[in-house]
Every structure is written in C-alpha cells, then in structure tokens.
Amino acid sequence: AIRTFKSKVLARYPENVEWNPFDQDAVGMLCMPKGLAFKTQADSREPQFHSFIITREDGSRTFGFSLTFFEEVTSKQICSAMQTLYHMHNAEYDILHTPPTNDKESCSSAGDCNGTSVSKLQRFNSYDISRDTLYVSKCICLITPMSFMKACKKVLEQLHQAVTSPQPPPLPLESYIYNILYEVPLPPAGRSLKFSGVYGPIICQRPSTSELPLFDFPVKEVFELLGVENVVQLFTCALLEFQILLYSQHYQRLMTVAETITALMFPFQWQHVYVPILPASLLHFLDAPVPYLMGLHSNGLDDRSKLELPQEANLCFVDVDNHFIELPEDLPQFPNKLEFIQEISEILMAFGIPPDGNLHCSESASKMKSLRACDLVSDKRNGNIAGSPLNSYELLKENETIARLQALVKRTGVSLEKETSSKKDLKIQCDEEEFKIYQLNIQIREVFANRFTQMFADYEVFVIQPSQDKESWFTNREQMQNFDKASFLSDQPEPYLPFLSRFLETQMFASFIDNKIMCHDEDDKDPVLRVFDSRVDKIRLLNVRTPTLRTSMYQKCTTIDEAEKSIELRLAKIDHTAVHPHLLDMKIGQGKYELGFFPKLQSDVLSTGPASNKWTKRNAPAQWRRKDRQKQHTEHLRLDNDQREKYIQEARNLGSTIRQPKLSNLSPSVIAQTNWKFVEGLLKECRNKTKRMLVEKMGREAVELGHGEVNITGVEENTLIASLCDLLERIWSHGLQVKQISKSLDGFLLTRNSVLLNLGILLDSERRKSDTSPAMSPLRISLIQDMRHIQNISEIKTDVGKARAWVRLSMEKKLLSRHLKQLLSDHELTKKLYKRYAFLRCDDEKEQFLYHLLSFNAVDYFCFTNVFTTILIPYHILIVPSKKLGGSMFTANPWICISGELGETGVLQIPRNILEMTFECQNLGKLTTVQIGHDNSGLYAKWLVEYVMVRNEITGHTYKFPCGRWLGKGMDDGSLERILVGELLTSHTEADERQCRTPPLQQSPSMIRRFVTISPNNKPKLNTGQIQEAIGEAVNGIVKHFHKPEKERGSLTLLLCGESGLVSALEQVFQHGFKSPRLFKNVFIWDFLEKAQTYYETLEQNEMVPEENWQTRARNFCRFITAINNTPRNIGKDGKFQMLVCLGARDHLLHHWIALLADCPITAQMYEDIALIKDHTLVNSLIRVLQTLQEFNITLEASLVKGIDI
C-alpha cells in the first residue's frame, strides 16, 4: 500500500485563457485524484493515462487529459523524511495490530509483493534510504474545450517519450507545446485535421452538424468490460435517473464507461451531478439525496462489502473491473430489450467481441464461474481476440443467448468481409485498429439513437406549446405541463409502459421538451435537437407509406452505412494540415533538460501566441479558435442571446438544486452550505411533486355522472407514487448516521416500530371517525396496525418494498402526513439516528414537508389496492334489515356474494341471526356489486333489507350497497336474490367539510324504486320531459365512460344499474302511463314483457309475419325473455328486467326492442293513452338516443348475468 500526499500544480501554459479560467483545485484533484504517490524501484511504475471532466457550475464542460509517470526523487531531505515517516507509521501499526507470533513472517514479506499481496494487513512497505530509490508521481495534462481523447493521448505519450528516450527530440519540447497551444486549430465541424506530434502525425476528425455529436471514447471497451446485458441495464438506470456509482481501479475506465453511457443517451442529456472521477476528498457526496453519476476509484484490495453506501434501494452499483452490476429495485425493462440486445450483439460479433463481454479484461477472472475453460484459451488471444469471431467463444458455449446468436450470425452471414471490402476504394490515413474503433463506435451509437427515433417518432404532436410569451411561460415553468404524457402513453404498446411512464417523468426528458419549446425556429435550434428532428422526420416519411400505427414491431437501424461512410471519407482525405512545430525565438541555454525528468518549460515563449505569420493570415487560427471555442462554449450552454441565457440558467436551476459539486477543498462551512442546498432542494422537489400529483388527479373531469371518484391512469399514477416514495427515501436517508443499522425510511420505520411497542404507545385513544353506519364499529387509526398489516404480507420480501407498500397504504387511507408526523415526533430517536444537518432535523422544512403531504387527502388514491392484487385482505360485512318490518322473525338461511374489479368471493353462507361478520379473501379490488339472497326455508322466509356495508379492513375503504326491497316469495316482485350496486363512501370528517362548500356528491339511496313496487299508487309521477332527461343522462354517462382512456374508467355496472343508471331510466319509461291494476294486485313491467312474448310467439305459430326484419327482432326478444325466465337463480321480476336491459345493451338490441314494443297490441291494452310508449315522436327520439350505444363494446360484470348463457 502506498501513502499519498497533497499534490500541487507546478506550472501551466499559458497562465490563463479568457474562455476558460484555470481552476487550480479542480485540476489538481482530477489529475491526481488520490494525491501525490511515492514508490520505490520494487513497485511497478508504468505511466498511466486518464481523462477527466471539469463541469462548471453553469453546466459547461472542459475536458482534461493527463499522463501520470514517476520520476526519481533527488532531494536527500525528502528521502530521509520519507524513511522516518515509514518507520513511525509501521511502529504505530505494529502496536495497534500485534499479530500472533507465527504471522510475523508474512508481515515483513508483504514488502515484496507490491502491497497488494495476500497479507491484507495495511502495513506500509519499508523504505530504506541506503538501498532503495524513491520515486514520486508527476503528471502532464492537456485541457481542451472538446474531447479529442485519442489525439490528446498521443500528444502526451509522445511528449513523455521525448523526455525518457536516450536521444533528445529533434526540437526543444517548447516547440511542440507551442505548436499544440497556438498553431493547431480545432477541426471545424465535418472536417478532419492532421498535425505533428514529437514522433509522428496525429489525426483527429469532428462530425458535421448533421451527424451524431463528437464522441471519442472506445465503446468497445465498455462492452468488453460489462457485456451487452449489463450495458443495457446500466443504460436503463441512467435514463430513469437512478443514482449510479461506477467502481474501478482504473480512472480511464471510469471515464470511458460514464462518457459512453451518457453519449448513448442521444438526444437526451444527463441533467444531474456528473463526476466520473470522484476525488477522495469528496466522498461525502455519495450521501447526496439527488440523482448522480459518479465514479469511485477502488484500490483493488477492498471488496464491495467494505463500501458504506447510503440508500442502496435506488442505487445502480457497477463494479467495472469484475463484470458485475447491482441494480436498483423494480427496474423496468427497456422496450424491446431482447431484440435490442440481439441487434447490438450482431454488431459486436462482426468485430470479434463476445456479447457477454470479453472476460479476459476483467480483473478477477478467477471469480467468474463461467471461466472454467480459460486455461484452454491460448495466450495470444488474451485481451485482444484474434481469429474468427466465433471460435473465440469456446469458453462461453454454455450460454444460451450466445448459442442463439451464433446460429443467427451463421444464418444472416454477418461477417468481417463488409469492412474489408470498403477498404479497397479508400486509403484510410489512420491505422487499422483506430479505424475499427471509429467504425464500431458509430455503429453502436446509431443503433442506440435509432431506438429513440423510433420510440419518439411522433413526439412533436404531444408537445404542449405555451399559449403565452416565453417570459411568462418561464416564470410559471414549474406548474406548466410541457408534454401530453397521458395521450402519448395511451398510444404506446402495453409492454413499453412501465419504462416510458417513468422516463417521461425524468429531468432529462423535461429539459429535452423545454428545449424544443424554446427553439421554435430552425436557426436557434439546439444542434442535438436539429439532428434528432431531422431523423424523426425521415422515419415519419417512411411511415406515411405504412399507416402510423404504433406497432411494437422492432425496427432495426438503417442509418449505419451512411454514418460510417462520412467518417471514412474524412479519414481518407484529410481536410486540414496544421503548421509543423518549428524552432522558437528562445535565448541560448533555454530548452535544455535532463534525461528522465520533465522540465519546467520557458513560460515567456509559451505565454502568448504568434502575432502574425503567413499561416495565421491564411487561416487565422488564433481568432478562429477563439471564436470556435466561444461558439463551442455557447453550443454547450445552447445560448444565443442574454435572454435565452437567463432562461436556460433558470431552467437548469429548476432542474436540480445543486448541479455540480464544487471541486474545492472543503471546509466544514462549505459542507454545511452544500447540505443546506440539499435540504432546500428536497423541500422544493416535495412541493413540485405533490402539486404535480394533485393537478394530475383533479385536472380530470371531477365528478363523472353519479360517480364522485376521479381517477388517473394506472401506469402514470404508479410512476408518480414511485417517485414520491423515492423522494421520501431520499429525505429519510439524508444525513443518516451511516453506522446505523437502518438505511432510510424502512429502517426508520422498523426501529421506530420497536420503540413504539416498547413504550406501549398503542394509539387506542384515537378512533377512526370514518364510517357512516351506527352499527359498524370504526377502524382505529394506528400506525403500528398499518405496519403490522404490511409485515404480514408475505409477497413483499424486502424492507424497501415494505416501506413503499406502507407509503401506498397510508396514501390510500389519507393518513400519510399524519403517520409521518407521528413518526417524527420522537425527537430522541431522530437525534440518535441523524446528523445535525439532516433534513429531518430542520424543523421548519419538516413542517412544510408534512403540510405538502397533507394536500393528498383531497383526492382518492387506490395505489395500494390496485398494486397488491394477490394479497389476502380481511373484509367486514354488515347487513342492515329494516327495523320496522319483523326482521327478527326471519327463518331462512341467507347468503351473500361480493364482487370487485379483481374478482369475487363466491357464495358465503351467513349464520342466520348474525348480521355482521369478517372473512378473508384475495384482494377484490374496488368493490362493484353484492348478490344477496336466501334459501326460502322456514315459516317466515321474508326479509326486507335496507342496505349492505362492506369494509376493507386494511385500507378502511367502505362501500354501501343500497337495497330497500323485500327478499321472499310472494312479497314485492318475488325475488329470493338481488344484485345490489355499491358506492364508495367518503369518510365523515370529509363529508362534513364538503357539506359546507358544496352539496354532497350523492343523495342517499333514493326511495323512488322502493315505492314503485311496494305501493305503486304513491310513487312520484315523473313527466315525459323528466324521463327523457333521465335516459339522456344515463346514456351520456356510458358514452363518456368509453371515451376515457381505459385505465381511467370508473365502474360500468354503476352506470347501468346504479341510482340514475340506464336500467332505472328505462324502468321510468315503462312505468309511465302503466294502467293501475285493481286493489292489492301488483303488476310489474316484467308481466307486460311476458305478455308481449306470448303474443309474438302465437303470431309465429299462426305465421302472420309482417316482415323479415321484424321477425328477427321478435325472435330475439322472445329468446332473451325465455333465457332469463329459465335461469336457475331466484331472481324477482325487477331483477329480470334489469338483466334484460343489461343484455340488450351488451348486444345492442335495446332500440330494436323499444320499436317492437311500441307497435305491440299488448301495449295498447296495458298503457293509457298518455303513456310515453304510445307517443311516436317521443319513442323515436328515445330510439335515437339508445342507438348511440351501438359503437361501444359493453362487457358485463359476471355477477349481472350469472346463470344465463346467451
């Protein structure tokens, strides 16, 4: 192991550049992220190259490329100080870790093994001034506005070679450095450039504005290190803005993986903290409660378990060297993932790269069980695979995806010939290997970009252009919806939804759409957007020929050849050649240096560029480059004028409170400041999330007809709730003492749980005031009880899962704010678990946060019931018979069957005199109907039921099923069973609040129908106008129901059979002008329909058939009446009428039957002249209204048509 010391910048040329102020701290930290290192001749001292990024607070980036090498320490003073340090450290170490005697040997021998040896003891290597040579690290670094990684690497390697090779270079080092600084311009877009290094030419090329943006890291390396599957999963995590932590012992690998993943996102851009190399002094940033993409250097000794990472539920951890990735919980699949992986794999295989990654690259090959065969693979193949791409796979044969792909490759004949053929026409100026890297890069990037052009081919249609000017749009940016997510999602194939619904919520998507709104005209369009839009247009043109049906057919990438061609042309014909390095005007004696030491250069000649020479006149490189750099800088910020600059800045600040950690040496006050920013950011995010969720819920049409519940798409609601859970977890883990057992919210709940139980604070005192019936005892509000329910659900395995389920349950019960407030009231516990600066210990913020959550109580969520569909739920049933009419004498045995959106209970027998019971069954979802009946046994088998109540004992949702009718032969309409339609009750506390603002949403179960049949004489008479209105309302309700996206529809049963549903409206039609029978004898609509049936059947027998059309209608009508009469169920006459209407609606026959009955002679006998059914104009308008139902596919709930097979 090697001690590291603080590094410092020794010199820089030129001292400053106007467009890029020099940041000494940042450059020092990133060139040597672990500080200065000393080694002896026993250690390996290979020069190491790595690149880095400096992101300024405004989000603009500069790239750094550094080469670190070791030079001998010549100062005696430093050498002896080092020896003293070693002695002191090792003595101290031995006192602390006295090993058992037999281990002494291994301690001392650890010195020879480079410190990474078997002995894990961190005893430092010895250093003896008399026999060892001491070396210290030094670094040369190039800072550039654009990332020409390959070119910069060559420049630095050649400079280093010049210092270490026995022959001095042809010119002084100053000449080459001056040339790079002042005489080599950036290649213009779409051009290539050749310039001279110390020992050979160097080529770089830059894509034109219509190609994918510049990217110069080898994608190949990422796929070799991780394998396709892992890369796609990591890519998905990045798109959904999870926290991503890369872990490797090579800085350059961290950088390559980070840059590749962000480049593959085109046209989207990572909007959050981005630190591909995290300096050791900034480790506390891993605690940040925001999305980040960071790279952490491992020393190759500690394994993953030593890392103390916060909140791992949302973390994607990538161990780059070991081919291993840990994914966050519930990561959705990237759309068409299998076909996508296959398309990428075909490309990799054509280049001889196994899709599973090249396991030789990974450090711990020994850990990989699939490497049993690695000894067989000959040595020359190590690292770089030679020979045919297929036989490099002997060791991966067992893997079935590989087997599938091999077959495919043989079938499709993908081979390396494609590349060799193109070579003939063009002489490429760079070497073969480099050209291959260019080719592979562009092919893979095109395939990734193609996924987004396909997925978002018609995104422009859904962009919501602001109605007001940009200024005001900007001020209200947070409340504005910029994209019609629901409509976009409703067009997508079902399997894409889990991914897309979450992706549309990300900051990168929001910024992309904002960018689109900002750039109306082509000229100021952001370059990335311009490229993307032109590609999307091409796809749209293709789709014009085939209708733009959203298919989930996988469309392969077609742009590869064209993209490859443009690179090839640039490399074959170099557009610009820079001036060669030349002697500078230096004084005699300047520019000498000692072999093996990189000298301090002559700053006077390097501080300014040439005033003028022929080259400058011709090409004005300095001005050109300055302009180009400024242009590049603005390209980066995507600005054209001050106003846009202001907007974009604000947009950035909205996006994330803290864009970029400032790379400076952090004092406690800076850390406190940073944390304060996090707290502010969390609060702001909480405010925006709650607002967004409420707007989504309430913005839908508030009260559907007779239905007070507003709903939002299932998928979208899920996404919003998941992101709320995510926010809560971040809040709970902010400033957590990492040493605590618990991580984030779930741990807190569990610790809290035990504390509460110990204190015995079971909140019995609090009674839940939600339930309307006097007889049903209220559920008590208890945090503990809710947590117990969740712990009892065996389907949820992880703590994080339990915490999230608890949040969903509390949302559904409208207790989230209250529960969390109670949790946080235990100050002792919060003090013990959290650092002083943590969000949960900032009282004002905490209050505001709870206040925001309180606003969720304004709407109904079913986010628990709809998600945990397979769990067992206890239901509590209460049957309320009429008090007036002898319920107590009832002798028959009642039964009940409850149905919901997710299933039904089957028949439950109810013990006779028990009107209240609890039973468990699989989650029924929202409840819709109750079938209730009895077996007609005993002397007094008549039962008048007022209503039935059913409550879900976990969520507390209570449904009321009004009845108000008799069950019994010879009573009422002779029903022994009835189908009741239920409604969700709002809790009392809310109902009271509502009363004062608006009348209640529903009237109590109406009495109309009860009177109709109990005493037909005193039923309220509706006039024809009112009846027509009722029919109109009922049909309108059904039409609206079908016009909503499927996930938002309420209960269709309620619209058919509920209070003001279709059945009751048609009942009114047939009641109107019905002749009153003589005393005490009730006549029902069903009696009339049966008479009509008999009439038609006799007509058939006498063969007096008016016309064929009429005949089919009549036959149909008779068939339905017969089927309903033959049902084994004991349904009364009104129940049968209800069935007939439901079936008629389902099969689109209602309007035919009305026409049929209006002309039937039976009608003339049984109705008075004023009856609606005898009025032709009214009947015709009624038929027209009912015809509108023809276009809908009405599916009836099973309980409505049980026992009928038509």
Side-chain angles (χ1 to χ4, degrees), residues 51 149 215 217-222 225 246 250-262 274 276:
S51 34
M149 193 268 300
F215 173 72
F217 288 81
V219 167
K220 165 186 175 184
E221 195 178 319
V222 180
L225 286 166
L246 310 172
H250 304 269
Y251 294 122
Q252 186 57 12
R253 280 183 183 177
L254 293 173
M255 188 68 182
T256 304
V257 175
E259 282 289 277
T260 301
I261 289 296
T262 49
Y274 182 67

Side-chain angles (χ1 to χ4, degrees), residues 1069-1114:
V1069 169
F1070 285 107
Q1071 293 284 1
H1072 188 261
F1074 205 30
K1075 285 186 178 164
S1076 295
R1078 286 166 301 291
L1079 280 179
F1080 305 124
K1081 183 167 181 301
N1082 279 351
V1083 177
F1084 291 89
I1085 300 170
W1086 191 252
D1087 299 328
F1088 157 65
L1089 296 175
E1090 283 180 326
K1091 282 193 178 159
Q1093 178 200 8
T1094 328
Y1095 167 73
Y1096 292 130
E1097 283 172 350
T1098 49
L1099 265 191
E1100 285 265 316
Q1101 286 150 10
N1102 307 340
E1103 293 176 0
M1104 306 206 359
V1105 180
E1107 50 154 339
E1108 196 170 337
N1109 207 345
W1110 186 91
Q1111 190 180 350
T1112 30
R1113 289 179 190 181

Side-chain angles (χ1 to χ4, degrees), residues 655-670:
S656 50
T657 28
I658 178 156
R659 269 196 70 73
Q660 219 33 48
K662 183 100 174 68
L663 297 177
S664 57
N665 291 318
L666 290 168
S667 58
S669 67
V670 175

